[in-house]
Amino acid sequence: MSDDKKKGSAAAAMPAAMAPPGMINKEDIPQVLPILPLRNSVFFPGGVLPLAVGRQKTIALIKDAVRDDQVIGVVTQRRAEEEDPGASDLYTMGTVARIVKLLKMGEDNYSLVVQGLARFRVLDLVQEAPYLKARVDAVEDRTSAENVEVEALGINLKKLAREVIELMPELPAAATELVESITHPGHLADLIAANVDVPIEEKQAVLETVDLKARMKLVLELLNRKREILKLSNKIDSAVKGEMSKTQREYYLRQQLKAIKEELGEMGEEEEELDELQERLKKAGLPPDVEKVANKELNRLKTIPAASSEYTVARTYLDWIADLPWAKLSEDNLDIENARQTLDKDHYGIKKVKKRILEYLAVRKLKNDMRGPILCLVGPPGVGKTSLGQSIAKAVGRKFVRLSLGGVRDEAEIRGHRRTYVGALPGRFIQSMKKAGTKNPVMMLDEIDKLGADFRGDPSAALLEVLDPEQNNTFSDHYLDVPFDLSKVLFIATANQLDPIPGPLRDRMEIIELSGYTFEEKQSIARIHLVPKQLKEHGLSPDHITITDEALLTLTTSYTREAGVRNLERRIADICRAVAVEVAGGKTDKQNIDGNRVKEILGPEMFYSEVAERTEVPGVATGLAWTAAGGDLLFIEATKMAGKGGMTLTGQLGDVMKESATAALSYLRSKAEALGINPNFLEKTDLHLHFPAGSIPKDGPSAGVTILTALTSLLTGVRVRGDTAMTGEATLRGLVLPVGGIKEKVLAAHRAGIKRVILPERCRKDLQDVPDQAKNDIEFIFATRMDEVLDAALEKSPFKTPVAPPEGGEKTVPPQPEPTPEVRA
């Protein structure tokens, strides 16, 4: 059931309508009255109150009262939440009321207006159903209204009421006129009590005060308290709007509080924290210029109230200063032999990097104040660049922190944000130094070639200072705004390719290239590192499984084709999972994994040599290409059809590669007679050159000799040898120029099972970086001119007539297939 609620607050505006009391004689009040319980309000004689009625008992009461035209009694409940109040739930004093207006708002809802007539006291309840009825005793004021003291109290009440109304500008001007118009002191007291904002209990106390003088004094006290509250509120508003701000007021109060606490010997928690911070700053070993800034900031912090936002900013700044390793150095382990053993244990091969680290340790041992080198390891994914940093840190005996730069586009990530910004933080380098806890950690800058640049700045430009040995001893972070020494840090950057790294940044680093692994190296890495690691991760032991060398060879040749070993590790994990299922199922026999068992677990072979298959028809040649993931094979297919002499190129090619194709065609047309090709072959023929894997962008000049070989094979009808791959730039004069990435390309050829590789003569020196296994398995042919390439690449010599040498050279007869000069590396 819904409440019987007053429409509008009992503490509403002052001018609530009041009728003069005494409109009913004491004799006219029945001895038994129907009682209407009232919640959250007190009803006074002379008042007019709108009510919303929803309780069934109350609705029945109202209907009977209206029908019989009788008065009712309105009594306030002690607890507003009581739904069905009894005698103990009601106050003993109430107000006789007449129903002035009644409206039906719905099926069970009524709205009525009642007018207060006189006070009464409840003697006892005589009925509880269908609604409350009580025996009552009418109450009259004890003191006469003509009493001099009562008159004086009335004057004071009106005066105080006027002051309160003036302090409440939200009240209408008619409120003062209403107060002035009331002449009866009891009516005035009830009017003010009904409208003043005080608790229900205090209003009920005014209603129960029968003595007129006592009632007026009580209302005078309530009104006086209301006036003081309003005055204080206005005073607070004025103080806030005045010259002294809230922050200044708190500061003076806190200074006084601090003096009092010091006098009493009760220092607060904040003071203790600041003293502790001061001690931390003293022990941090700050340089003199940094110590000066920190002390100045600390003195300012002591004057800032703890509740101020500025306090938190300054406190966080000093915490960063105190936590950074300004003077803490870890001791290097300069045992060269120990470092060599550690590096050899963790990583197979990569001799260049190991050699460089050992050189650094040797120089550190001889010269104590050497700055940390800045190395950049460049190589395809999966060759161990990132894990190498941890091994170096372990070998040198330093802390290791890794900083991933991939996708970083905001310069503030490097240099930090200025403290004026909300939520400002130091840059990643200062954060990493705090994490390391020492001044000379090994810091790995992972994926430095993946840095981006946009409207927020260029992070690679911000790295120039960090990675410059001449500048990083005074690195300035925007948040700290004091110099920090990074010169003792051993920086190791990693990248998949050098091209995206800006020239000035590349110039500051020592580039060490890591190439892909040969089959033999992959087998060794798998045997020494990957297999034990995967056995441990899958809960297996050597008693459960043995992976033979034959199985590892099958994995590296038939199920993976990559420069690194990540996919090889995944395939080993696949085998371990298959064995784990059987072991978990109760099979305890040790399993021997050989090549056939690998095929059972992993299914059909994923990679096979397709060179011979692709070159079965004329017009297809195998080239070698360099990619960020290592070297790869590049097949070039050429075909001809009836047309008008056009040439179509497909396969998402760059401008340089398109120009190489144009140059190759021009060279062929110039040598058409020597090759036995009709010089006018383009008049009624269209050529189409396609580079498979069309979704992959391709560019560069190193496919020139391959394009020329494919076109020559197409036009002469002589097939390209299936075991041969080539790389090199071809010129219009038929010269073969050197290209880069020889090591990666040769390793790609080795992975694909290529037996012969044609290289430019001037790339002979690059073979010294190629692993011995690849050099022993592959026959290398070095060429300076295109006729040498064609003789070596095609199944038979395509030349029909002697070839004219370049201008200034002697006339020579092109070499025949049998005596073709071949150099074996």
Side-chain angles (χ1 to χ4, degrees):
M1 291 184 288
S2 64
D3 279 336
D4 303 330
K5 295 181 286 188
K6 177 181 173 187
K7 283 189 176 179
S9 173
M14 284 289 279
M18 298 290 284
M23 293 180 68
I24 187 169
N25 294 323
K26 182 177 180 182
E27 295 78 23
D28 296 333
I29 299 175
Q31 290 185 346
V32 176
L33 280 177
I35 302 299
L36 189 152
L38 187 64
R39 292 196 277 199
N40 299 318
S41 182
V42 177
F43 187 39
F44 286 86
V48 177
L49 185 68
L51 292 173
V53 176
R55 290 193 279 200
Q56 294 301 319
K57 281 189 174 183
T58 309
I59 291 172
L61 181 152
I62 291 167
K63 287 180 178 179
D64 289 351
V66 171
R67 186 185 65 236
D68 300 333
D69 194 22
Q70 62 175 334
V71 293
I72 62 173
V74 179
V75 183
T76 302
Q77 292 182 202
R78 294 181 185 274
R79 293 185 299 117
E81 63 269 20
E82 187 62 43
E83 286 290 338
D84 192 10
S88 60
D89 299 315
L90 300 174
Y91 285 103
T92 57
M93 187 72 80
T95 301
V96 179
R98 179 186 294 119
I99 297 174
V100 179
K101 191 174 183 180
L102 178 66
L103 292 172
K104 187 173 182 180
M105 307 301 292
E107 186 176 342
D108 291 323
N109 287 293
Y110 287 82
S111 178
L112 69 155
V113 179
V114 293
Q115 181 185 13
L117 303 176
R119 284 175 169 80
F120 72 88
R121 181 176 285 107
V122 177
L123 298 178
D124 57 1
L125 285 180
V126 297
Q127 175 184 309
E128 290 189 2
Y131 51 82
L132 297 176
K133 277 190 177 182
R135 186 180 293 109
V136 300
D137 183 22
V139 176
E140 292 183 339
D141 295 343
R142 289 180 185 173
T143 307
S144 172
E146 284 75 28
N147 187 292
V148 177
E149 189 176 353
V150 170
E151 187 178 349
L153 287 169
I155 293 171
N156 280 345
L157 270 176
K158 287 186 177 183
K159 180 184 175 184
L160 264 177
R162 284 195 301 270
E163 291 184 20
V164 169
I165 292 170
E166 288 175 2
L167 290 170
M168 299 175 69
E170 65 269 20
L171 292 179
T176 305
E177 297 174 7
L178 176 64
V179 171
E180 293 292 343
S181 67
I182 298 174
T183 57
H184 193 282
H187 183 199
L188 179 65
D190 289 341
L191 167 70
I192 294 172
N195 289 281
V196 73
D197 190 11
V198 294
I200 298 296
E201 293 79 7
E202 294 186 10
K203 288 189 177 187
Q204 182 66 29
V206 173
L207 181 67
E208 292 178 357
T209 305
V210 179
D211 186 270
L212 186 55
K213 282 197 298 185
R215 190 195 314 160
M216 295 180 76
K217 286 181 179 177
L218 183 57
V219 174
L220 198 62
E221 181 183 336
L222 295 178
L223 198 56
N224 197 35
R225 191 171 71 198
K226 180 68 176 177
R227 183 188 64 173
E228 293 303 317
I229 290 172
L230 290 171
K231 277 186 175 181
L232 183 58
S233 175
N234 289 341
K235 183 180 178 182
I236 290 171
D237 287 342
S238 300
V240 170
K241 294 173 184 175
E243 292 183 2
M244 181 180 288
S245 66
K246 181 182 176 183
T247 305
Q248 290 173 312
R249 177 179 173 81
E250 286 181 356
Y251 168 71
Y252 287 120
L253 289 174
R254 289 184 185 281
Q255 287 298 106
Q256 292 175 355
L257 184 63
K258 184 179 177 181
I260 293 169
K261 285 183 177 179
E262 287 179 353
E263 198 69 30
L264 295 173
E266 299 177 358
M267 286 294 287
E269 187 177 324
E270 295 164 8
E271 288 84 354
E272 292 178 3
E273 287 180 357
L274 291 180
D275 290 342
E276 180 191 348
L277 181 59
Q278 189 169 6
E279 285 299 314
R280 285 168 57 203
L281 289 170
K282 285 181 181 177
K283 295 177 181 178
L286 305 179
D289 51 344
V290 179
E291 186 176 11
K292 184 178 177 181
V293 172
N295 289 335
K296 181 180 178 182
E297 194 70 19
L298 183 63
N299 292 333
R300 191 173 76 88
L301 181 63
K302 291 178 180 178
T303 64
I304 302 175
S308 170
S309 60
E310 186 67 21
Y311 179 90
T312 307
V313 172
R315 174 63 195 270
T316 307
Y317 173 74
L318 287 173
D319 277 333
W320 274 101
I321 294 285
D323 290 341
L324 286 173
W326 297 93
K328 189 176 179 182
L329 289 164
S330 60
E331 187 176 347
D332 285 347
N333 181 358
L334 301 176
D335 186 343
I336 306 296
E337 192 55 39
N338 174 69
R340 181 183 283 113
Q341 291 176 3
T342 302
L343 293 172
D344 287 341
K345 179 183 176 183
D346 291 347
H347 286 81
Y348 183 86
I350 51 177
K351 297 177 182 178
K352 273 190 180 180
V353 188
K354 296 176 181 178
K355 176 172 173 286
R356 182 64 187 85
I357 297 304
L358 295 177
E359 289 171 353
Y360 167 72
L361 288 178
V363 177
R364 275 283 285 117
K365 194 170 185 177
L366 300 176
K367 189 174 186 290
N368 196 33
D369 61 346
M370 182 193 179
R371 292 174 177 171
I374 297 163
L375 308 178
C376 183
L377 308 179
V378 181
V383 296
K385 300 185 298 298
T386 303
S387 61
L388 192 59
Q390 294 175 321
S391 296
I392 292 172
K394 186 164 66 174
V396 181
R398 293 188 181 186
K399 292 289 184 67
F400 175 78
V401 284
R402 178 178 170 273
L403 210 148
S404 180
L405 297 177
V408 172
R409 294 178 174 273
D410 192 350
E411 181 210 352
E413 294 278 342
I414 308 298
R415 288 190 173 276
H417 305 80
R418 298 197 183 277
R419 278 180 287 156
T420 50
Y421 295 105
V422 176
L425 279 174
R428 293 195 179 196
F429 284 90
I430 296 298
Q431 292 181 39
S432 298
M433 294 303 293
K434 177 184 174 182
K435 189 189 300 183
T438 62
K439 197 177 176 181
N440 61 338
V442 173
M443 188 177 293
M444 171 146 284
L445 310 180
D446 224 357
E447 309 291 355
I448 199 170
D449 58 328
K450 308 297 190 303
L451 280 172
D454 60 11
F455 64 92
R456 287 165 292 204
D458 186 356
S460 62
L463 277 176
L464 294 177
E465 181 185 5
V466 177
L467 300 183
D468 190 341
E470 300 300 324
Q471 298 180 42
N472 62 11
N473 59 333
T474 56
F475 171 67
S476 178
D477 185 275
H478 287 159
Y479 181 84
L480 295 182
D481 207 21
V482 290
F484 189 87
D485 186 8
L486 294 176
S487 64
K488 305 293 183 186
V489 179
L490 174 53
F491 289 105
I492 300 175
T494 71
N496 293 131
Q497 47 189 322
L498 281 175
D499 292 343
I501 305 175
L505 183 59
R506 197 187 318 168
D507 186 58
R508 284 163 166 77
M509 300 184 291
E510 185 178 338
I511 308 296
I512 299 177
E513 294 190 4
L514 301 179
S515 57
Y517 297 114
T518 63
F519 292 141
E520 183 183 32
E521 289 173 331
K522 286 184 180 181
Q523 285 178 260
S524 300
I525 292 169
R527 192 183 309 109
I528 299 169
H529 300 288
L530 305 184
V531 171
K533 177 184 174 183
Q534 290 303 319
L535 290 181
K536 183 178 178 182
E537 289 189 0
H538 290 83
L540 299 173
S541 70
D543 296 333
H544 296 124
I545 180 175
T546 299
I547 300 179
T548 64
D549 289 346
E550 179 196 356
L552 293 177
L553 181 62
T554 303
L555 286 173
T556 54
T557 56
S558 302
Y559 291 92
T560 62
R561 184 168 289 177
E562 56 176 343
V565 291
R566 284 204 180 112
N567 284 326
L568 176 59
E569 186 173 8
R570 293 187 185 106
R571 299 293 80 80
I572 293 172
D574 292 341
I575 292 172
C576 291
R577 283 195 295 271
V579 173
V581 170
E582 297 183 2
V583 172
K587 188 174 181 179
T588 57
D589 297 341
K590 184 175 182 179
Q591 298 202 35
N592 186 53
I593 306 297
D594 56 13
N596 293 328
R597 185 78 172 105
V598 167
K599 293 176 183 178
E600 288 178 19
I601 295 173
L602 300 182
E605 296 180 359
M606 299 175 65
F607 300 99
Y608 55 91
S609 178
E610 56 184 341
V611 180
E613 179 184 331
R614 290 217 182 190
T615 55
E616 284 180 352
V617 295
V620 180
T622 307
L624 296 173
W626 181 93
T627 69
D632 201 359
L633 295 188
L634 178 68
F635 292 101
I636 297 176
E637 301 174 350
T639 189
K640 61 183 178 178
M641 65 215 82
K644 298 181 180 180
M647 183 167 69
T648 304
L649 301 172
T650 54
Q652 201 174 159
L653 310 180
D655 291 339
V656 176
M657 191 169 279
K658 291 177 182 177
E659 291 166 1
S660 295
T662 305
L665 182 59
S666 298
Y667 174 78
L668 263 180
R669 293 178 67 185
S670 68
K671 301 295 181 184
E673 188 177 339
L675 291 168
I677 304 171
N678 182 4
N680 300 320
F681 69 90
L682 272 181
E683 286 184 359
K684 296 182 181 181
T685 304
D686 280 351
L687 298 179
H688 186 164
L689 273 175
H690 179 62
F691 296 72
S695 63
I696 302 172
K698 310 170 191 69
D699 201 6
S702 61
V705 296
T706 318
I707 294 172
L708 184 55
T709 303
L711 288 173
T712 304
S713 171
L714 173 70
L715 296 173
T716 60
V718 181
R719 293 187 303 182
V720 179
R721 291 183 58 162
D723 61 350
T724 303
M726 64 203 76
T727 184
E729 178 180 357
T731 71
L732 279 176
R733 298 175 59 206
L735 299 179
V736 179
L737 300 184
V739 292
I742 295 299
K743 181 178 179 182
E744 288 78 9
K745 293 174 180 178
V746 170
L747 289 177
H750 185 253
R751 283 196 296 271
I754 297 291
K755 298 302 180 184
R756 301 169 78 243
V757 173
I758 301 173
L759 298 175
E761 174 65 38
R762 286 162 60 184
C763 289
R764 187 191 293 264
K765 63 183 186 306
D766 297 324
L767 284 183
Q768 64 180 5
D769 296 330
V770 176
D772 291 339
Q773 184 191 3
K775 285 195 285 190
N776 293 334
D777 292 346
I778 295 175
E779 175 185 353
F780 294 98
I781 300 164
F782 299 97
T784 57
R785 293 174 54 202
M786 271 309 303
D787 53 350
E788 298 173 9
V789 174
L790 295 175
D791 282 330
L794 300 180
E795 291 184 348
K796 65 179 182 178
S797 176
F799 293 100
K800 306 300 181 184
T801 61
V803 182
E807 292 181 15
E810 296 181 0
K811 291 186 178 181
T812 59
V813 176
Q816 297 304 310
E818 293 77 17
T820 297
E822 296 179 351
V823 181
R824 188 179 290 272

